[in-house]
PDB file of all heavy atoms in Angstrom:
ATOM      1  N   LEU L  23      24.256  23.345  25.584  1.00  0.00           N
ATOM      2  CA  LEU L  23      22.865  22.937  25.382  1.00  0.00           C
ATOM      3  C   LEU L  23      22.160  23.859  24.401  1.00  0.00           C
ATOM      4  O   LEU L  23      21.372  23.418  23.561  1.00  0.00           O
ATOM      5  CB  LEU L  23      22.112  22.933  26.725  1.00  0.00           C
ATOM      6  CG  LEU L  23      22.490  21.806  27.681  1.00  0.00           C
ATOM      7  CD1 LEU L  23      21.860  22.036  29.056  1.00  0.00           C
ATOM      8  CD2 LEU L  23      22.027  20.461  27.113  1.00  0.00           C
ATOM      9  N   GLN L  24      22.423  25.154  24.477  1.00  0.00           N
ATOM     10  CA  GLN L  24      21.819  26.091  23.560  1.00  0.00           C
ATOM     11  C   GLN L  24      22.239  25.795  22.125  1.00  0.00           C
ATOM     12  O   GLN L  24      21.425  25.806  21.193  1.00  0.00           O
ATOM     13  CB  GLN L  24      22.231  27.527  23.916  1.00  0.00           C
ATOM     14  CG  GLN L  24      21.526  28.061  25.145  1.00  0.00           C
ATOM     15  CD  GLN L  24      20.047  28.254  24.872  1.00  0.00           C
ATOM     16  OE1 GLN L  24      19.244  27.433  25.305  1.00  0.00           O
ATOM     17  NE2 GLN L  24      19.701  29.288  24.153  1.00  0.00           N
ATOM     18  N   LEU L  25      23.522  25.532  21.927  1.00  0.00           N
ATOM     19  CA  LEU L  25      24.022  25.207  20.586  1.00  0.00           C
ATOM     20  C   LEU L  25      23.400  23.922  20.084  1.00  0.00           C
ATOM     21  O   LEU L  25      23.061  23.787  18.897  1.00  0.00           O
ATOM     22  CB  LEU L  25      25.556  25.089  20.610  1.00  0.00           C
ATOM     23  CG  LEU L  25      26.325  26.413  20.754  1.00  0.00           C
ATOM     24  CD1 LEU L  25      27.802  26.133  20.994  1.00  0.00           C
ATOM     25  CD2 LEU L  25      26.136  27.268  19.497  1.00  0.00           C
ATOM     26  N   TYR L  26      23.244  22.937  20.981  1.00  0.00           N
ATOM     27  CA  TYR L  26      22.686  21.641  20.567  1.00  0.00           C
ATOM     28  C   TYR L  26      21.246  21.780  20.077  1.00  0.00           C
ATOM     29  O   TYR L  26      20.853  21.239  19.055  1.00  0.00           O
ATOM     30  CB  TYR L  26      22.724  20.665  21.754  1.00  0.00           C
ATOM     31  CG  TYR L  26      22.181  19.310  21.433  1.00  0.00           C
ATOM     32  CD1 TYR L  26      22.963  18.355  20.786  1.00  0.00           C
ATOM     33  CD2 TYR L  26      20.863  18.965  21.772  1.00  0.00           C
ATOM     34  CE1 TYR L  26      22.450  17.108  20.486  1.00  0.00           C
ATOM     35  CE2 TYR L  26      20.346  17.729  21.478  1.00  0.00           C
ATOM     36  CZ  TYR L  26      21.143  16.806  20.836  1.00  0.00           C
ATOM     37  OH  TYR L  26      20.653  15.574  20.528  1.00  0.00           O
ATOM     38  N   PHE L  27      20.452  22.549  20.803  1.00  0.00           N
ATOM     39  CA  PHE L  27      19.026  22.634  20.466  1.00  0.00           C
ATOM     40  C   PHE L  27      18.703  23.720  19.444  1.00  0.00           C
ATOM     41  O   PHE L  27      17.583  23.810  18.988  1.00  0.00           O
ATOM     42  CB  PHE L  27      18.193  22.854  21.732  1.00  0.00           C
ATOM     43  CG  PHE L  27      18.046  21.614  22.557  1.00  0.00           C
ATOM     44  CD1 PHE L  27      18.729  21.476  23.751  1.00  0.00           C
ATOM     45  CD2 PHE L  27      17.249  20.571  22.119  1.00  0.00           C
ATOM     46  CE1 PHE L  27      18.604  20.326  24.499  1.00  0.00           C
ATOM     47  CE2 PHE L  27      17.111  19.416  22.868  1.00  0.00           C
ATOM     48  CZ  PHE L  27      17.791  19.289  24.071  1.00  0.00           C
ATOM     49  N   THR L  28      19.675  24.560  19.099  1.00  0.00           N
ATOM     50  CA  THR L  28      19.404  25.615  18.114  1.00  0.00           C
ATOM     51  C   THR L  28      20.304  25.515  16.909  1.00  0.00           C
ATOM     52  O   THR L  28      20.350  26.421  16.090  1.00  0.00           O
ATOM     53  CB  THR L  28      19.581  27.006  18.764  1.00  0.00           C
ATOM     54  OG1 THR L  28      20.926  27.146  19.224  1.00  0.00           O
ATOM     55  CG2 THR L  28      18.608  27.202  19.902  1.00  0.00           C
ATOM     56  N   HIS L  29      21.032  24.424  16.769  1.00  0.00           N
ATOM     57  CA  HIS L  29      21.959  24.257  15.653  1.00  0.00           C
ATOM     58  C   HIS L  29      21.225  24.404  14.322  1.00  0.00           C
ATOM     59  O   HIS L  29      20.201  23.776  14.089  1.00  0.00           O
ATOM     60  CB  HIS L  29      22.618  22.877  15.728  1.00  0.00           C
ATOM     61  CG  HIS L  29      23.563  22.621  14.577  1.00  0.00           C
ATOM     62  ND1 HIS L  29      24.748  23.303  14.434  1.00  0.00           N
ATOM     63  CD2 HIS L  29      23.454  21.778  13.534  1.00  0.00           C
ATOM     64  CE1 HIS L  29      25.352  22.871  13.342  1.00  0.00           C
ATOM     65  NE2 HIS L  29      24.588  21.953  12.779  1.00  0.00           N
ATOM     66  N   ASP L  32      17.275  25.487  13.787  1.00  0.00           N
ATOM     67  CA  ASP L  32      16.126  24.594  13.891  1.00  0.00           C
ATOM     68  C   ASP L  32      15.469  24.758  15.257  1.00  0.00           C
ATOM     69  O   ASP L  32      16.150  24.960  16.268  1.00  0.00           O
ATOM     70  CB  ASP L  32      16.551  23.113  13.748  1.00  0.00           C
ATOM     71  CG  ASP L  32      16.882  22.772  12.316  1.00  0.00           C
ATOM     72  OD1 ASP L  32      16.589  23.601  11.444  1.00  0.00           O
ATOM     73  OD2 ASP L  32      17.445  21.680  12.098  1.00  0.00           O
ATOM     74  N   SER L  33      14.150  24.622  15.279  1.00  0.00           N
ATOM     75  CA  SER L  33      13.444  24.578  16.553  1.00  0.00           C
ATOM     76  C   SER L  33      13.601  23.186  17.145  1.00  0.00           C
ATOM     77  O   SER L  33      14.031  22.249  16.459  1.00  0.00           O
ATOM     78  CB  SER L  33      11.957  24.879  16.350  1.00  0.00           C
ATOM     79  OG  SER L  33      11.337  23.825  15.639  1.00  0.00           O
ATOM     80  N   THR L  34      13.258  23.062  18.425  1.00  0.00           N
ATOM     81  CA  THR L  34      13.346  21.749  19.069  1.00  0.00           C
ATOM     82  C   THR L  34      12.473  20.732  18.360  1.00  0.00           C
ATOM     83  O   THR L  34      12.884  19.594  18.120  1.00  0.00           O
ATOM     84  CB  THR L  34      12.912  21.871  20.543  1.00  0.00           C
ATOM     85  OG1 THR L  34      13.746  22.823  21.184  1.00  0.00           O
ATOM     86  CG2 THR L  34      13.047  20.528  21.252  1.00  0.00           C
TER      87      THR L  34
END
Side-chain angles (χ1 to χ4, degrees):
L23 288 171
Q24 285 292 103
L25 287 171
Y26 180 81
F27 284 107
T28 61
H29 178 68
D32 286 349
S33 68
T34 302

